[in-house]
Amino acid sequence: MPCLEEADLSLLAQQHIKAQQANIKNQRDRLTEIQAELKTLKSDPDADPLKVTEAEKAIANLEYHLNGKTSRAKLQAEADQLRASGLKPDRLKRLDQALKADGDLIKDPDLDTAEDRAKVMEALYTQRQQLVFRDTAFDGGERTASIFGAPTVKNMKEIGEDAIAQDLMLRSISLVMGRNDTKNPNDYLDPKGLEVKTSLSDGIEHHHIYNNVYVDENGRVKPNSVRFYVNPKTGDVEMEVIPEYWNSSKHGKNTQFVELLDGAHSGDDPTTHLHYYKFNDTESVDIRAKISEKIGEINSQNASRLVKLDRELQELRDRKNDPQAYENKLKTEISDYDSQISDAEEIERKYTTENARGARVKNRGLTPDQEQELQQAREKRKALEKLRDKVQRSLDEHRTFVNLESDIQQWKSERTSLDTQVRAIKLNVRFPDANGFPDKDSARKAKEQLKNQLDDLTDRIKTSEQLLRDKGSLDQQIRDKELKRTEAQKLANLTEDEALAIYERSNGFFSFDKGHQESQDYSKSRPKMNSEIHKYNARQTIEILEREHGDNALAVLQKMAENSYKRNLLYNTEVLVEKVAGTLI
């Protein structure tokens, strides 16, 4: 069963705080480097324009997330909109003042610097509840996570935030009682201040700290392996460095989470993410060695992929060019497998007898050679059945897809006709009616029958369209397979020198994701973690209300709910008034 418990994670919290501070410094250094690179590029008339654009985008992105700067044109457009609508006069005043500054990038007066946001994050690590979640029922063994920044009823009461505590009480009880406790909890982080205090409650997320990538106290990533791939937009071979993760065995298999208010961070925020990362000279030696070790494996794996993709491509083209011949081919294969399966079954029947339950039981007194012949026949039959079933699935898919697009169009036409017929049958008319129905009952029966046909056809269209979206039409499958073949061809021919050159070009622009497996595991385990946090708060709510109010606990909770409803109603009314007055900026 999942388990949530309090824990002292102070040392781990300090490690994360130091890593965040170091990463901000590293990204400021990286901003300075890219600015110098851009200056050099612009002074070279032969410079690659794509490299210039890449550097300009990186500078704009880092300036925004590090310094709160954005383009003058964007701030000017917002100021013009506010002036025209009459909304948010205080914001307009601050914008007008900010626009007096020089330059194309202007500090947004309402945006904090990365250092300011890091102070808020530090408060999350140190002022809020620290918890450990263990999902003991997780597939593949126990899953453990450290959680920082969780708002709990008890913790909020202890620091005097009674209003937040009351809101948590209501939400936790409501979600647990309504069986909606797998939803995200709610947080109360004020992203504009330096303390974790009150704000309008909003949905939160348990955010992987740096996407679960292990980052040391100097903000450095430990490279684990490398992967090369073809960018589908450019057709160029690119690479990514696979980092060491917090939940790897090397680092204790403990996933790291911090609670964040939705909208209080973004995917490029240096307090939570790693972008424009540049490996230093020592780290690069290790990565180059990994590339040299892996290039042979990359070549051989993709050479094997080429053979497989060529075969699959030819099969798709056969399906498209001569659907009937392809179907006949599959039928012949199934027939051949059936014949071989029948031969194997004949041997089984020779050495077995059917019991009362219909299962075949081995005869007594078989010689070792007969035992071996029977065993081989059974194994052969099972293997052949798997091969036959695979071909049967291909045949079923082919029959489904070969005319699916035209079938959908035909069904849509039929649906329109059926809908017209349903609408034409009126029940509030004099009978017999113009459609020839003698009475209302016969008209209703006919209308219901047509309506059922219409619903069935609509469901068939919906299911078939989803199938096309998921699998793709034959043409789309061929295009996708051709792209994969192109990638396999390029990677099969990739040389070590080319791979090392790609690393040198890429270094300084690396980003790190949580990894495919962690994404899947997270999706399975997160709802349980949410549920445990809600139940944790619900238990604290009951304990506190019964201790403080005794038999009046339920009445007090009801009064809190009424007051909360009134506050939310007032807030929603204010938002509605703003929308009526003009466009919300």
Side-chain angles (χ1 to χ4, degrees):
M1 292 294 291
C3 174
L4 188 76
E5 58 188 16
E6 297 179 14
D8 183 358
L9 305 177
S10 302
L11 292 177
L12 196 55
Q14 289 302 316
Q15 182 177 346
H16 290 311
I17 290 169
K18 289 178 181 178
Q20 285 178 325
Q21 292 170 343
N23 184 51
I24 292 172
K25 179 184 179 302
N26 293 343
Q27 291 207 22
R28 286 200 176 280
D29 292 343
R30 185 73 189 112
L31 173 59
T32 302
E33 288 179 0
I34 299 174
Q35 287 170 332
E37 291 169 9
L38 179 61
K39 188 175 181 180
T40 301
L41 285 168
K42 287 190 170 181
S43 65
D44 180 4
D46 297 324
D48 184 348
L50 292 177
K51 296 292 288 183
V52 173
T53 300
E54 181 182 48
E56 288 175 338
K57 287 183 177 178
I59 289 170
N61 199 303
L62 287 168
E63 284 281 17
Y64 179 81
H65 288 288
L66 288 169
N67 302 318
K69 291 185 176 181
T70 191
S71 69
R72 174 183 292 277
K74 182 178 179 181
L75 291 183
Q76 185 64 62
E78 182 184 348
D80 293 342
Q81 286 179 320
L82 290 176
R83 217 181 317 276
S85 68
L87 295 173
K88 301 182 181 179
D90 292 339
R91 166 72 173 165
L92 176 59
K93 185 177 180 180
R94 293 192 296 273
L95 284 176
D96 285 338
Q97 183 63 35
L99 286 165
K100 293 178 181 179
D102 297 328
D104 293 330
L105 290 175
I106 306 293
K107 172 71 170 65
D108 187 314
D110 292 330
L111 289 181
D112 293 326
T113 64
E115 286 79 3
D116 290 334
R117 293 195 303 282
K119 289 178 183 177
V120 178
M121 292 288 289
E122 182 174 345
L124 273 176
Y125 283 118
T126 57
Q127 294 180 17
R128 290 284 184 83
Q129 189 71 61
Q130 297 171 348
L131 301 167
V132 171
F133 169 73
R134 289 186 179 86
D135 185 358
T136 55
F138 187 75
D139 296 341
E142 181 176 301
R143 178 181 167 89
T144 304
S146 296
I147 305 173
F148 302 90
T152 63
V153 173
K154 183 180 177 182
N155 181 232
M156 292 297 104
K157 293 278 286 185
E158 286 173 349
I159 63 176
E161 294 291 352
D162 290 341
I164 295 178
Q166 287 186 10
D167 210 348
L168 280 172
M169 287 177 173
L170 290 171
R171 291 175 183 275
S172 60
I173 290 288
S174 174
L175 290 171
V176 171
M177 292 295 290
R179 299 184 182 275
N180 290 321
D181 54 333
T182 59
K183 290 185 176 180
N184 282 356
N186 286 271
D187 205 350
Y188 308 87
L189 166 64
D190 179 1
K192 298 300 180 188
L194 302 185
E195 296 180 9
V196 182
K197 292 183 67 177
T198 60
S199 74
L200 284 172
S201 61
D202 199 352
I204 67 99
E205 64 171 304
H206 296 299
H207 179 75
H208 282 85
I209 296 168
Y210 289 120
N211 272 330
N212 195 41
V213 173
Y214 176 79
V215 182
D216 68 18
E217 293 184 3
N218 297 313
R220 306 309 302 175
V221 173
K222 307 297 182 185
N224 184 45
S225 62
V226 296
R227 186 179 81 88
F228 288 85
Y229 62 96
V230 171
N231 186 323
K233 293 182 179 178
T234 64
D236 297 330
V237 178
E238 297 182 1
M239 72 166 291
E240 64 176 345
V241 175
I242 311 298
E244 292 180 359
Y245 292 106
W246 271 103
N247 65 346
S248 65
S249 298
K250 184 175 182 179
H251 297 292
K253 299 180 71 173
N254 186 358
T255 308
Q256 304 296 299
F257 291 106
V258 65
E259 284 208 352
L260 286 178
L261 182 72
D262 287 346
H265 74 295
S266 76
D268 293 334
D269 191 333
T271 64
T272 54
H273 291 74
L274 291 155
H275 293 286
Y276 306 107
Y277 187 91
K278 187 171 186 177
F279 288 100
N280 60 32
D281 292 342
T282 303
E283 295 161 345
S284 291
V285 169
D286 185 24
I287 293 172
R288 292 189 191 101
K290 292 180 186 298
I291 292 172
S292 298
E293 292 169 5
K294 201 170 180 66
I295 194 67
E297 179 186 338
I298 292 170
N299 294 155
S300 61
Q301 283 181 345
N302 282 280
S304 298
R305 276 184 71 204
L306 269 175
V307 176
K308 181 173 179 288
L309 288 167
D310 281 338
R311 184 174 64 250
E312 292 172 348
L313 257 174
Q314 187 58 52
E315 186 172 300
L316 287 169
R317 287 167 180 152
D318 289 345
R319 285 174 61 186
K320 177 178 171 59
N321 295 333
D322 195 340
Q324 189 58 54
Y326 179 75
E327 181 173 337
N328 293 339
K329 170 179 166 289
L330 295 183
K331 286 179 178 178
T332 300
E333 289 181 21
I334 292 171
S335 178
D336 289 343
Y337 283 130
D338 283 337
S339 177
Q340 295 178 63
I341 290 169
S342 179
D343 292 341
E345 288 175 338
E346 183 63 32
I347 296 173
E348 286 188 74
R349 281 192 291 272
K350 186 167 66 172
Y351 298 122
T352 61
T353 302
E354 189 175 291
N355 65 15
R357 294 191 300 271
R360 300 205 68 85
V361 180
K362 183 173 62 175
N363 295 337
R364 293 180 180 180
L366 296 181
T367 67
D369 288 345
Q370 290 172 333
E371 291 261 11
Q372 184 179 11
E373 186 180 5
L374 174 61
Q375 182 62 26
Q376 289 175 344
R378 282 174 167 172
E379 291 174 356
K380 182 178 181 180
R381 173 181 56 77
K382 290 177 181 178
L384 288 167
E385 285 174 343
K386 286 183 178 179
L387 292 171
R388 180 198 59 192
D389 292 346
K390 183 178 179 181
V391 178
Q392 184 64 55
R393 286 194 295 272
S394 296
L395 178 59
D396 293 341
E397 179 183 303
H398 173 66
R399 285 171 170 168
T400 299
F401 273 87
V402 66
N403 295 315
L404 189 57
E405 288 176 293
S406 59
D407 286 344
I408 290 174
Q409 295 305 315
Q410 176 62 33
W411 296 334
K412 285 183 176 180
S413 176
E414 293 174 9
R415 181 176 63 181
T416 301
S417 175
L418 276 173
D419 185 57
T420 302
Q421 294 177 56
V422 170
R423 293 174 183 274
I425 300 176
K426 308 295 183 182
L427 301 179
N428 56 345
V429 297
R430 300 183 73 179
F431 290 94
D433 66 358
N435 296 309
F437 295 110
D439 51 48
K440 190 171 186 177
D441 286 342
S442 60
R444 180 185 291 109
K445 187 179 294 185
K447 190 180 183 78
E448 288 175 355
Q449 186 177 8
L450 289 170
K451 181 68 167 57
N452 289 336
Q453 293 176 20
L454 179 62
D455 291 343
D456 290 343
L457 195 56
T458 299
D459 288 341
R460 192 192 310 169
I461 292 169
K462 184 177 179 181
T463 302
S464 299
E465 287 181 329
Q466 184 63 49
L467 186 62
L468 271 181
R469 284 193 294 270
D470 293 343
K471 190 81 175 179
S473 65
L474 266 178
D475 288 335
Q476 184 60 52
Q477 290 181 57
I478 290 171
R479 287 194 294 271
D480 291 344
K481 201 72 71 175
E482 286 172 340
L483 288 174
K484 289 180 180 179
R485 191 199 180 284
T486 300
E487 178 180 63
Q489 183 73 68
K490 290 184 177 182
L491 295 180
N493 297 332
L494 184 67
T495 68
E496 182 177 336
D497 287 343
E498 289 171 337
L500 291 170
I502 291 169
Y503 170 67
E504 300 305 330
R505 291 198 303 271
S506 304
N507 195 18
F509 290 87
F510 284 115
S511 297
F512 301 98
D513 200 358
K514 62 177 68 74
H516 175 69
Q517 187 59 49
E518 170 57 18
S519 296
Q520 289 187 322
D521 293 350
Y522 174 55
S523 298
K524 296 175 184 176
S525 198
R526 173 172 169 171
K528 300 177 187 177
M529 188 160 65
N530 288 345
S531 178
E532 289 302 306
I533 291 176
H534 288 308
K535 291 174 184 176
Y536 181 84
N537 273 321
R539 287 192 294 270
Q540 289 188 352
T541 298
I542 294 169
E543 177 188 339
I544 290 171
L545 287 178
E546 288 184 343
R547 184 178 66 244
E548 294 181 352
H549 304 285
D551 294 340
N552 293 325
L554 187 58
V556 171
L557 186 64
Q558 181 64 36
K559 185 64 176 176
M560 287 164 49
E562 291 173 1
N563 292 337
S564 175
Y565 173 77
K566 291 175 183 177
R567 286 197 306 272
N568 289 336
L569 187 63
L570 177 62
Y571 170 69
N572 290 332
T573 302
E574 289 172 349
V575 172
L576 182 61
V577 168
E578 276 202 317
K579 285 184 177 180
V580 171
T583 303
L584 283 174
I585 304 300

